Amino acid sequence: MSARLAYWSSFLRFRLLIFKSNSKSNSYKNSSNMSPTVSKTRSSISISRPNAMFPQYLRRIVKWQQMDIEYTFWQMLHLCTAPKIAYQHTKYHKQTKNQWARDDPAFVVICSLLLALATVAYCAAYDHSAAHAVSVVISVLLFHFLLAGILLATCCWFLTNAYLREEAPNTCVVEQRVEWQVWLYAFDVHCNSFFPMFVMLYVIHYFLSPLLVAHGFIPALLSNLLFMVAASYHHYLNFLGYDVLPFLERTTFFLYPIGIVIILSPILILSGFNPSRYFMNIYFSRTL
């Protein structure tokens, strides 16, 4: 009996020691986790930084020595061949300069010059008036690239901030918004998406234009296929541009127009519509 009492007394003493050690460790964890609380007030990204950079951005437009031309051509090449790699460097830019948008106007300047050069080549081949050719070049630069880009970027900026931004009301996070000034991220996405479309619809299309503007089913088929691929790739790059932002969700919304393009293309082909002839007759004085 005495041996049994001694056994139970030692067992209870052992359990008491375990309970005390556990209570001490829990109290230490609670004290170590007591850190300053983060305010749950959500604040937007400051707009003062982009505004302060705007004069510097404008000054660099006319100073080639301050532009990174080599990196710009590298971006243009990879946007046509490996766009995911190009947008991976967008993440690196955010980590190094703490902003998503480019602060170098080289991409816009070079893209505008290439677009003007391609338009001049079209005017030399399909236009008979120098004055009309000048107006075509100006209208292409202003409407096709700049104004259309501003409008598209504004729509995308509004949609992302209003409907695609990830909401986390119960967590202590800082709200982030897609930057928007004419030269900030939404416009950068437009420029990135525009360049491969420029290569297909201005460069490749130029060399194929004698075939594409001809009458018949084959020219209409090839023209519609070229426009379909260009439009689809444009929307795909638009999707990649917003999908890379970690604070957006449901960015597959930007892929939906590709389905519309794919559905409309067979209808246009069967109806005999030739987009190459249509746009060439609109912009140039030579009747095709």
Side-chain angles (χ1 to χ4, degrees), residues 44-45 100 157 161-162 165 175-180 247:
S44 302
I45 286 180
W100 291 100
W157 167 81
N161 281 322
R165 202 159 34 87
E175 180 182 6
Q176 300 192 67
R177 294 181 181 271
V178 181
E179 299 167 342
W180 167 246
F247 49 88

Side-chain angles (χ1 to χ4, degrees), residues 140-177:
V140 167
L141 286 175
L142 289 180
F143 294 101
H144 283 198
F145 183 52
L146 294 177
L147 294 181
I150 292 172
L151 179 61
L152 180 62
T154 304
C155 293
C156 292
W157 167 81
F158 174 77
L159 289 173
T160 51
N161 281 322
Y163 302 106
L164 303 182
R165 202 159 34 87
E166 185 178 4
E167 298 290 344
N170 295 326
T171 58
C172 303
V173 296
V174 176
E175 180 182 6
Q176 300 192 67
R177 294 181 181 271

Side-chain angles (χ1 to χ4, degrees), residues 49-198:
R49 178 180 175 85
N51 288 340
M53 292 175 57
F54 190 69
Q56 179 184 359
Y57 187 89
L58 292 178
R59 285 194 298 268
R60 294 180 67 178
I61 289 180
V62 295
K63 295 183 178 180
W64 283 91
Q65 64 273 18
Q66 295 185 4
M67 299 184 190
D68 194 345
I69 306 299
E70 182 179 355
Y71 177 65
T72 299
F73 282 114
W74 179 92
Q75 280 185 313
M76 291 178 170
L77 174 63
H78 281 78
L79 286 170
C80 296
T81 58
K84 289 185 178 181
I85 296 178
Y87 275 112
Q88 186 66 34
H89 278 255
T90 302
K91 293 183 179 180
Y92 301 154
H93 186 272
K94 170 63 177 176
Q95 294 172 358
T96 55
K97 296 191 176 182
N98 195 29
Q99 67 177 50
W100 291 100
R102 285 190 289 257
D103 56 353
D104 188 355
F107 197 101
V108 177
V109 173
I110 294 176
C111 193
S112 299
L113 293 176
L114 293 176
L115 183 59
L117 181 62
T119 308
V120 169
Y122 272 99
C123 292
Y126 296 99
D127 216 326
H128 298 298
S129 171
H132 185 263
V134 172
S135 65
V136 170
V137 173
I138 295 175
S139 64
V140 167
L141 286 175
L142 289 180
F143 294 101
H144 283 198
F145 183 52
L146 294 177
L147 294 181
I150 292 172
L151 179 61
L152 180 62
T154 304
C155 293
C156 292
W157 167 81
F158 174 77
L159 289 173
T160 51
N161 281 322
Y163 302 106
L164 303 182
R165 202 159 34 87
E166 185 178 4
E167 298 290 344
N170 295 326
T171 58
C172 303
V173 296
V174 176
E175 180 182 6
Q176 300 192 67
R177 294 181 181 271
V178 181
E179 299 167 342
W180 167 246
Q181 296 271 341
V182 174
W183 43 277
L184 290 182
Y185 189 74
F187 190 74
D188 284 345
V189 173
H190 158 70
C191 294
N192 295 341
S193 303
F194 180 86
F195 182 75
M197 187 172 65
F198 158 77

